Amino acid sequence: MVSADGEPEERMIEAALRPKSLADFVGQRRVREQLSLVLQASRLRGRSADHVLLSGPPGLGKTTLAMIIAAEMNAPLRITSGPAIQHAGDLAAILSSLGEGEVLFLDEIHRMSRPAEEMLYMAMEDFRVDIVVGKGAGATAIPLDLPPFTLVGATTRAGLLPGPLRDRFGFTGHLEFYAVDELELVLRRSAGLMDLAVNSAGFAEIAKRSRGTPRIANRLLRRVRDWALVHGIEQIDARAASAALDMYEVDARGLDRLDRAVLQALVSKFHGGPVGLSTLAIAVGEETETVETVAEPYLVREGLLGRTPRGRIAMPAAYEHLGIEPPAGYAAASLSARLDEDETLPLFAGDEPTAD
C-alpha cells in the first residue's frame, strides 16, 4: 500500500493521472522553474534541449517530468531502462533508431552495464557511436553519426553514477519529498480527474499518511474511493478516509504493517537495541533487503529509528508512536554517543558490528 513501487496495473492507472505540462505539475518548485528555463531557451534556439538527469526517491515524478519534457519540446519520447541495456549493442540499436530532437528516457540509469555506459559518453557528447564489426584482429570500428537528441536519465541512487556520466548532463535536478499541503494539491487534482467528492479534511487525512510521495497519495486515494463506494458514502471526509486507511493498515503517521513490526520488534524483543539488521529482519520474518530498502528509509527520516555503528536503535519517538513507556533513563541521543565509544555494550546473537 505504501511502497513507492507500483504493480503494472497500478502504473497504468497512475499514468492516467500524470500531469501533461509543467504548469500542471505540482510541487518541486525549484526544479520545475529551472527546467522550464532550460526548455524555453532550447525552443528559442530551435535546438534539442540539454541532457537532463533527475534523481530522487521513487514515486516523486521523475518519469512524469520526462514525459513533460518531451511534450514541452513537441518531440517523440522513447522509454527504456538501465537493466534492459546489458550490452553495448543494445544501446547502439536504440540510439541508431532515434530521430532528430527525440527524447530518450533512461530509467534507473545507474543499473546500466559498463560497456553500454562507456558508449553513452560519446553519444551524449559528440552524437556519435562506434559500431564494432567482426572479432579479434579483424575487428573494425565503424563510426555512426547520430541526430541531436535529448537524454533524460532517472536514478534513485545518484551516488552510483560515475563522475564522467554525471558531468555530461547539462541539467541535474534532485526531487525532494513533498510537504503535506503539496500532496493535498496533488490529491485535489486527482480527485477531480476521478470525479470523486472529497472535502478538505479528507484530503488532509490522506495526505499526511502518504509519506511525502505523490504516487502513494494517489494509490491511497483510490483505496479510499473503493471503501467509500462499498459503504455507500458520497462525500469522503476525514472520518471516512481514516476508517478506510485504518482498514488497509496505514496508520496516522503513514506507517504500514512492516514499519510497525520493525519498531515493535526493536522495542519489545531487543529493548530498543542496538541490534543488527539481519537479526531484526529475521525477527519480523522479512528479507534483510526488504527491511533496509522498504521500511528503514522512512523510519529514519521520521526520527523513529536510528542507525549506529553497532546496529539499529529505537528513538524516543518510536516508543511514543507505539504507546509504550521507554525504559527508565532511556535517551537515544546519549545511547548513540555511548555506542561510538563503549565496545562492551552487548550485541544480540548473530549480529556483527556494522556502519550501516
Side-chain angles (χ1 to χ4, degrees):
M1 279 297 294
V2 293
S3 170
D5 297 316
E7 296 297 323
E9 182 180 354
E10 294 280 351
R11 290 173 184 169
M12 290 176 61
I13 299 173
E14 288 161 5
L17 300 177
R18 294 184 194 275
K20 302 298 189 291
S21 67
L22 283 175
D24 294 333
F25 191 87
V26 177
Q28 310 295 341
R29 183 181 61 84
R30 182 170 56 183
V31 171
R32 186 159 35 91
E33 291 177 350
Q34 293 171 346
L35 189 55
S36 176
L37 184 63
V38 170
L39 298 180
Q40 287 184 46
S42 299
R43 288 197 299 267
L44 291 174
R45 292 197 312 268
R47 300 180 58 184
S48 298
D50 285 344
H51 303 302
V52 176
L53 177 64
L54 301 171
S55 64
L60 298 187
K62 297 185 292 295
T63 302
T64 299
L65 282 175
M67 294 179 175
I68 288 175
I69 289 172
E72 296 275 348
M73 296 301 296
N74 195 25
L77 176 66
R78 188 81 58 90
I79 299 177
T80 186
S81 64
I85 301 176
Q86 293 302 312
H87 306 284
D90 299 334
L91 180 62
I94 294 172
L95 293 175
S96 61
S97 65
L98 292 176
E100 185 169 354
E102 194 164 348
V103 176
L104 173 63
F105 176 53
L106 187 51
D107 199 10
E108 295 298 302
I109 190 173
H110 64 274
R111 296 176 61 187
M112 189 168 50
S113 68
R114 181 54 60 88
E117 187 179 277
E118 292 175 352
M119 173 178 283
L120 192 58
Y121 294 163
M122 184 180 298
M124 294 174 67
E125 198 164 38
D126 302 327
F127 297 108
R128 182 172 69 90
V129 293
D130 290 336
I131 307 296
V132 178
V133 179
K135 295 182 179 180
T140 303
I142 301 175
L144 177 64
D145 290 331
L146 303 174
F149 67 94
T150 298
L151 173 67
V152 180
T155 177
T156 55
R157 306 182 68 180
L160 295 182
L161 287 179
L165 181 56
R166 284 198 306 268
D167 293 343
R168 282 170 168 78
F169 286 97
F171 171 77
T172 300
H174 180 74
L175 276 59
E176 305 283 352
F177 285 104
Y178 282 59
V180 172
D181 58 340
E182 292 176 327
L183 286 176
E184 288 186 43
L185 295 176
V186 172
L187 289 168
R188 287 180 185 275
R189 179 182 178 278
S190 298
L193 293 173
M194 297 163 61
D195 196 22
L196 188 62
V198 186
N199 65 18
S200 297
F203 284 126
E205 185 66 26
I206 299 172
K208 72 180 184 180
R209 300 189 187 209
S210 300
R211 303 167 78 117
T213 307
R215 181 180 294 164
I216 294 174
N218 284 328
R219 193 173 302 161
L220 295 183
L221 178 64
R222 295 196 297 274
R223 300 292 74 80
V224 171
R225 174 201 59 188
D226 295 344
W227 185 91
L229 181 63
V230 170
H231 287 79
I233 296 176
E234 294 184 359
Q235 185 178 59
I236 298 169
D237 56 13
R239 184 176 179 180
S242 178
L245 295 178
D246 286 344
M247 193 198 76
Y248 286 111
E249 297 184 288
V250 180
D251 67 21
R253 201 161 179 170
L255 273 62
D256 66 358
R257 180 205 60 79
L258 175 60
D259 299 323
R260 288 191 300 276
V262 169
L263 292 182
Q264 192 72 46
L266 189 55
V267 167
S268 302
K269 296 181 180 179
F270 304 110
H271 315 296
V275 60
L277 176 62
S278 59
T279 301
L280 187 57
I282 292 171
V284 297
E286 295 285 352
E287 295 292 331
T288 301
E289 185 178 355
T290 301
V291 173
E292 186 175 23
T293 60
V294 176
E296 272 195 359
Y298 185 68
L299 295 177
V300 171
R301 185 162 64 90
E302 289 293 295
L304 298 168
L305 180 144
R307 298 170 60 164
T308 74
R310 289 180 61 84
R312 274 61 174 172
I313 60 172
M315 305 299 281
Y319 288 93
E320 181 181 348
H321 183 73
L322 295 174
I324 299 175
E325 190 70 24
Y330 180 86
S334 62
L335 175 60
S336 180
R338 286 190 291 114
L339 286 173
D340 290 334
E341 32 185 67
D342 188 354
E343 295 297 326
T344 64
L345 281 175
L347 281 172
F348 291 94
D351 288 343
E352 294 293 337
T354 171
D356 293 331

